[in-house]
Amino acid sequence: MDKSVTKMFALIEALAGSEQPRGVTELARELALTKTNVHRLLRTLEANGFARRVGELGRYELTLKLWELSSQVVARLDVKKESAGFLARLSEMTQETVHLSVRDGFDVVYIDKIESAEPVRAFTKVGSRAPLYCVGTGKAMLAFLPPEQIASLEGRLERYTDTTITDFGALQEELAQVRIQGFAVYRAEWRDGVNSIAAPIRDHSGSVIAAVGIAGPATRLQPNAFPRLAPLVVDTAAAISRRLGYHPVEDAPGSHASRSGGGTRGDHLQYPSALGHT
């Protein structure tokens, strides 16, 4: 076990259990470490945004960054539990495989799924990964990342099929379309012969924390079916978002939840007929 990492965790626990900012000397005494060691660990935490120095005496306290990270983990657990009934209903309405995905870096991780009853269907495994920019649920989340994070993909778009988007400008255009229409589509960009439609799921703060989508063989889930099926996917995402505490303040471009009365009825809404580079 790495002793430096163990010391860092002990320091974090000490700061987390303190009601007031702590000084180097008292932390060193409590943790049985040298003041030099504690100061170095504190500076590392400060440089990475996990701690800050308070006041003229140079005391330290934790920031909310740990809480932000842990909140993401809790949200992942909540979204799976709260989504179950909505995924089942979407499966019934579409007869296609339904996926619930979260983001891990620039990958999608599938955390739940319902298989289509059709003999020919899209195949994935819970726990498997795919690049964000290559699949429907991934693009539904990628579109709402900060611009600087999206920009970091430039030059890193690997080709997996003939239809994979490898031009960063084209990807940006598609993500802009996702933000406008409120859903993403995928045409065999990760695996040949599979299409999908997906929409983002938001938590109580409005942050996109997951995505729900349907996937099926391209011979059955054809582009001419997207306008009919997209409202069902978007309404499902809106219903899950509402269950997680998201309440849009006003109707906005791509905010189909508010137009559908919360997205719990699967209403057929009005969507752009042009689906962009999808």
Side-chain angles (χ1 to χ4, degrees):
M1 184 180 297
D2 190 306
K3 292 183 179 180
S4 296
V5 174
T6 301
K7 293 174 184 177
M8 180 69 81
F9 282 132
L11 177 59
I12 290 172
E13 289 181 358
L15 290 172
S18 302
E19 294 184 0
Q20 302 294 331
R22 304 288 298 278
V24 173
T25 301
E26 60 179 313
L27 285 168
R29 186 183 308 117
E30 178 181 333
L31 299 173
L33 299 173
T34 66
K35 290 194 290 185
T36 300
N37 203 343
V38 170
H39 187 259
R40 178 177 56 80
L41 293 172
L42 286 169
R43 291 298 299 273
T44 300
L45 288 174
E46 184 181 20
N48 288 278
F50 288 94
R52 59 173 164 252
R53 192 161 32 181
V54 180
E56 296 180 358
L57 297 178
R59 295 177 176 271
Y60 289 83
E61 66 180 7
L62 292 179
T63 66
L64 292 177
K65 189 168 183 178
L66 282 172
W67 177 82
E68 292 169 357
L69 293 175
S70 62
S71 295
Q72 294 176 28
V73 176
V74 172
R76 291 181 182 184
L77 299 177
D78 288 345
V79 73
K80 183 176 180 179
K81 179 181 69 175
E82 299 296 346
S83 298
F86 298 107
L87 301 185
R89 185 166 182 269
L90 182 61
S91 175
E92 287 180 18
M93 291 188 294
T94 64
Q95 296 298 300
E96 298 293 355
T97 297
V98 176
H99 293 122
L100 179 67
S101 304
V102 296
R103 181 177 68 88
D104 185 20
F106 284 110
D107 285 344
V108 154
V109 178
Y110 298 103
I111 62 171
D112 204 358
K113 67 175 291 191
I114 298 178
E115 290 277 12
S116 169
E118 296 288 339
V120 180
R121 55 185 181 266
F123 176 77
T124 51
K125 293 172 59 178
V126 171
S128 63
R129 292 171 174 263
L132 274 182
Y133 67 94
C134 287
V135 295
T137 53
K139 287 190 281 187
M141 293 184 282
L142 178 60
F144 297 94
L145 286 181
E148 61 272 17
Q149 290 191 40
I150 297 174
S152 67
L153 279 174
E154 188 169 8
R156 298 169 53 190
L157 304 180
E158 185 177 347
R159 181 177 297 282
Y160 296 96
T161 71
D162 289 342
T163 56
T164 301
I165 299 174
T166 57
D167 179 78
F168 183 68
L171 178 64
Q172 286 184 303
E173 290 181 24
E174 177 153 347
L175 296 179
Q177 188 68 16
V178 171
R179 289 188 286 270
I180 292 170
Q181 64 194 15
F183 62 91
V185 296
Y186 145 78
R187 293 176 175 167
E189 295 153 45
W190 169 238
R191 292 289 183 258
D192 285 320
V194 178
N195 289 346
S196 76
I197 308 168
I201 295 170
R202 299 177 183 272
D203 67 7
H204 67 280
S205 70
S207 299
V208 173
I209 60 165
V212 60
I214 60 172
T219 53
R220 185 171 67 240
L221 190 55
Q222 298 182 3
N224 60 12
F226 291 170
R228 174 177 60 84
L229 294 173
L232 304 180
V233 177
V234 174
D235 280 353
T236 298
I240 297 169
S241 298
R242 286 175 62 86
R243 182 65 66 89
L244 295 173
Y246 175 61
H247 299 286
V249 176
E250 60 183 359
D251 200 5
S255 179
H256 305 295
S258 53
R259 284 195 299 245
S260 64
T264 58
R265 302 187 308 274
D267 297 337
H268 284 251
L269 312 177
Q270 295 300 315
Y271 291 87
S273 57
L275 301 180
H277 298 76
T278 52

